[in-house]
Amino acid sequence: MDPSGDDPTPRSPHTPTRLRARTAILLSTATALIATAAPASATPPPAAPTPNPTPVVVDCFNKPQTRPDEYLLACGDGNNRLINLHWNTWNHKTATATGTDMINDCRPYCAAGHFHPYPVTVTLSHPQPWPNHPGTHRYTTIRLLYTHTTPTPTPKDVTYQLVYDTPNTTP
């Protein structure tokens, strides 16, 4: 080698030192390309929308129930209660059961009245998000279809809203 640092001996581009240097550069470049491409391909696809959660039915005490054996319809006086409920379905759209509607005839007045059984098919529907309970849906409608006799003057097929929310009293 001369004092200028230039090597007067011409070398072939295929000398072992140059091959190793080229290989190292190519491997480094390939590794860098793979490293920058990997996170993009490893990113999971956007999550599919979460299906509606299975709803609950809210009782008179503002407690969530799933497939209850009994359900109080007359929250104020307790004179109407569904009992012996046997649920056939309970899903994100509807719930259906068979059971008995026990109704007080209130004759001559409710405290002296008698309860009478009426076979009934129950359908819960129209689930909506339950206010102040994130991630929970509740059924908002109940349909009663009396399968034999009906309590006077109730029609054979009746639908009620199940919304017992009290308004917010915050100033």
Side-chain angles (χ1 to χ4, degrees), residues 16-30:
T17 305
R18 287 192 179 204
L19 279 175
R20 275 189 235 130
R22 274 190 184 171
T23 303
I25 291 170
L26 286 172
L27 286 174
S28 296
T29 304

Side-chain angles (χ1 to χ4, degrees), residues 48-66:
T50 306
N52 288 339
T54 302
V56 297
V57 62
V58 179
D59 67 14
C60 294
F61 306 103
N62 212 30
K63 301 290 183 206
Q65 303 290 320
T66 303

Side-chain angles (χ1 to χ4, degrees), residues 1 26 29 39 44 70 75-76 83-84 89 94-95 97 103-104 113 126 129 163-164:
M1 197 181 266
L26 286 172
T29 304
E70 295 186 3
C75 292
I83 63 168
N84 299 323
T89 62
T94 62
I103 299 177
N104 187 347
H126 298 94
V163 180
Y164 304 119

Side-chain angles (χ1 to χ4, degrees), residues 16-171:
T17 305
R18 287 192 179 204
L19 279 175
R20 275 189 235 130
R22 274 190 184 171
T23 303
I25 291 170
L26 286 172
L27 286 174
S28 296
T29 304
T31 302
L33 286 172
I34 290 170
T36 57
S41 63
T43 302
T50 306
N52 288 339
T54 302
V56 297
V57 62
V58 179
D59 67 14
C60 294
F61 306 103
N62 212 30
K63 301 290 183 206
Q65 303 290 320
T66 303
R67 297 178 181 262
D69 295 328
E70 295 186 3
Y71 188 78
L72 186 61
L73 290 171
C75 292
D77 59 14
N79 284 319
N80 189 352
R81 173 187 296 274
L82 298 171
I83 63 168
N84 299 323
L85 294 172
H86 300 282
W87 295 96
N88 302 313
T89 62
W90 192 286
N91 60 48
H92 70 280
K93 289 186 177 183
T94 62
T96 58
T98 56
T100 303
D101 190 1
M102 293 296 293
I103 299 177
N104 187 347
D105 61 16
C106 290
R107 290 190 192 128
Y109 50 92
C110 291
H114 296 88
F115 282 86
H116 300 276
Y118 299 91
V120 68
T121 298
V122 178
T123 303
L124 300 172
S125 61
H126 298 94
Q128 298 294 317
W130 188 10
N132 302 318
H133 295 81
T136 303
H137 283 65
R138 64 173 174 179
Y139 293 112
T140 61
T141 303
I142 187 168
R143 177 182 177 207
L144 305 177
L145 178 61
Y146 294 95
T147 57
H148 298 302
T149 59
T150 62
T152 306
T154 306
K156 185 174 180 79
D157 189 349
V158 63
T159 301
Y160 301 107
Q161 294 301 308
L162 293 177
V163 180
Y164 304 119
D165 290 335
T166 55
N168 288 339
T169 56
T170 54

